[in-house]
Amino acid sequence: WLDWPDMYRSPSPEYKEELKQLLQKEAGYYKFLQFIFFTEWGRLKAYANEKGIQIIGDIPIFVSMDSADVWANKELFHLDEKGYPLSVAGVPPDYFSATGQLWGNPLYAWDAHKNSDFSWWISRIRTQLKNLDILRIDHFRGFDACWSIPYGEPTAVNGHWAKVLGWDLFGAISQALGDDLPIIAEDLGIITDEVNALREHFGFPGMKVLQFAFDSLDEGSYLPHRYTSPVCVCYTGTHDNDTTRSWYQTLRPECRDKVRRYTHCSNDAHFPLDLIGTALASVAAYAIFPLQDVLCVGAEGRMNTPGIGTGNWSWRYQQSALKSELADELRGMTILYGRY
């Protein structure tokens, strides 16, 4: 929308009304599609809840530059007078990328959010919790400080940490929606004491990824015997990681030996399920593992490679792969470790 004429990029109230009348049919079509989707989703969620199943959903911390959120609320984002971003989001060089990740989302104008009592955020979280039982917020680290990259930079290297009003934000959300918010905080990456304090104060479970626990021989915090609280979620790997089978095959020999001994693995072909058992045996309140790990799928099943804009989110499975013996094995581990 940055390339639109000014009348579209910043329409007057009169022109908005004119557009509303002009585009009534087209807008009605998309409203109908959304009506159908949310009706069907509501039925699916109700059915799952009747079976004792809760649905965890994910939202990113940031929204897209070309989204209706930004177009309709430009004062809430860090933009210039023409609507172009002054700085954009990403993360510095890390485990996943030597040049960081340049996401390109506009950053929030946090003072403007505070002046509006965080009403946009409260509405966003409230809506998501109508459609989900538990909400995972991506890049929780960005609620303490976010990586601010000047607009136009080719990579995320030349950025800086900019402080964020996370305490005020979640205080307002808690006041509006209740203290016991069903939120999981994605707290991976460069985590400071301030980020941990923010997460712990509001009681949000953080994430423990077992693949990170065995990338070295160090006694890191991702090792299950180092968990200091059950207020966390233990993953074999996330959507951003390689599948457990592929990750295991590419480990250094000494690390592979450590994880084999830790999981009591006696058969490499069965290793992903052994790691799932380790997640289930942990004290973490939740244990999550991708279907690729249940099926012991290799690198061809990787869901997403961070920092790569194409070729992701295309993995599918055949129904025939969901065999009864796999269900029996998962059920046995679930019962064994008291997760029922």
Side-chain angles (χ1 to χ4, degrees):
W1 60 264
L2 290 173
D3 295 327
W4 294 355
D6 286 343
M7 66 173 63
Y8 296 122
R9 288 197 289 113
S10 300
S12 65
E14 294 77 17
Y15 192 59
K16 284 184 178 180
E17 185 60 32
E18 183 180 338
L19 287 174
K20 184 177 179 180
Q21 297 301 321
L22 180 66
L23 302 174
Q24 185 175 17
K25 184 176 180 180
E26 289 86 344
Y29 169 73
Y30 288 102
K31 287 180 180 179
F32 177 71
L33 291 183
Q34 292 188 17
F35 167 75
I36 294 297
F37 169 80
F38 284 109
T39 298
E40 293 184 349
W41 177 258
R43 290 172 179 168
L44 174 64
K45 182 178 181 297
Y47 175 79
N49 292 164
E50 288 171 3
K51 302 295 183 181
I53 298 170
Q54 291 184 305
I55 297 177
I56 301 176
D58 188 279
I59 64 168
I61 178 177
F62 300 112
V63 295
S64 298
M65 183 64 207
D66 58 356
S67 65
D69 284 305
V70 178
W71 182 80
N73 303 280
K74 288 191 281 290
E75 72 282 358
L76 298 179
F77 298 87
H78 201 213
L79 311 175
D80 65 17
E81 65 278 2
K82 293 184 177 181
Y84 286 85
L86 296 168
S87 53
V88 295
V91 292
D94 61 6
Y95 171 90
F96 291 109
S97 173
T99 58
Q101 297 177 43
L102 179 62
W103 297 335
N105 309 79
L107 297 180
Y108 295 106
W110 285 107
D111 287 341
H113 282 274
K114 185 174 183 178
N115 290 337
S116 64
D117 297 322
F118 299 99
S119 59
W120 182 88
W121 270 101
I122 292 169
S123 176
R124 188 184 187 200
I125 300 298
R126 177 186 285 118
T127 299
Q128 290 301 101
L129 290 178
K130 287 180 180 178
N131 299 316
L132 303 165
D133 299 296
I134 300 172
L135 182 61
R136 174 190 177 274
I137 302 182
D138 195 44
H139 194 55
F140 185 81
R141 192 258 178 275
F143 289 109
D144 174 70
C146 64
W147 190 245
S148 175
I149 307 161
Y151 180 58
E153 283 287 327
T155 72
V157 172
N158 295 321
H160 70 277
W161 290 111
K163 290 299 292 183
V164 171
L165 303 178
W167 288 85
D168 294 336
L169 168 66
F170 287 108
I173 293 173
S174 296
Q175 186 173 7
L177 304 181
D179 291 330
D180 191 20
L181 293 169
I183 287 175
I184 294 172
E186 186 274 292
D187 58 346
L188 305 176
I190 303 172
I191 302 302
T192 64
D193 291 341
E194 291 80 6
V195 176
N196 287 329
L198 175 65
R199 179 185 58 75
E200 291 171 3
H201 177 81
F202 289 98
F204 302 151
M207 291 174 54
K208 306 288 188 182
V209 181
L210 292 181
Q211 288 189 20
F212 296 157
F214 299 100
D215 277 340
S216 74
L217 301 180
D218 297 336
E219 281 288 298
S221 62
Y222 292 127
L223 288 163
H225 67 269
R226 299 291 301 276
Y227 297 176
T228 59
S229 168
V231 186
C232 63
V233 185
C234 183
Y235 293 71
T236 52
T238 75
H239 57 277
D240 287 335
N241 294 95
D242 202 349
T243 67
T244 289
R245 178 182 174 185
S246 179
W247 164 81
Y248 175 73
Q249 291 171 339
T250 57
L251 274 178
R252 289 182 291 145
E254 61 272 25
C255 294
R256 193 182 309 143
D257 177 67
K258 178 178 179 177
V259 70
R260 280 174 57 88
R261 290 186 289 113
Y262 199 98
T263 60
H264 304 289
C265 173
S266 59
N267 183 342
D268 284 357
H270 192 267
F271 172 75
L273 287 161
D274 292 323
L275 197 66
I276 288 173
T278 301
L280 292 170
S282 74
V283 298
Y286 302 95
I288 295 178
F289 36 89
L291 184 58
Q292 290 94 320
D293 291 353
V294 176
L295 301 179
C296 300
V297 172
E300 71 278 7
R302 181 163 189 167
M303 189 74 76
N304 178 55
T305 302
I308 304 298
T310 59
N312 296 317
W313 312 112
S314 60
W315 181 77
R316 294 185 177 186
Y317 68 93
Q318 298 289 333
Q319 185 175 0
S320 59
L322 304 180
K323 300 183 183 300
S324 58
E325 53 264 33
L326 277 176
D328 291 340
E329 184 160 6
L330 289 177
R331 182 176 184 272
M333 287 191 287
T334 300
I335 294 172
L336 179 63
Y337 297 118
R339 291 185 179 271
Y340 58 91

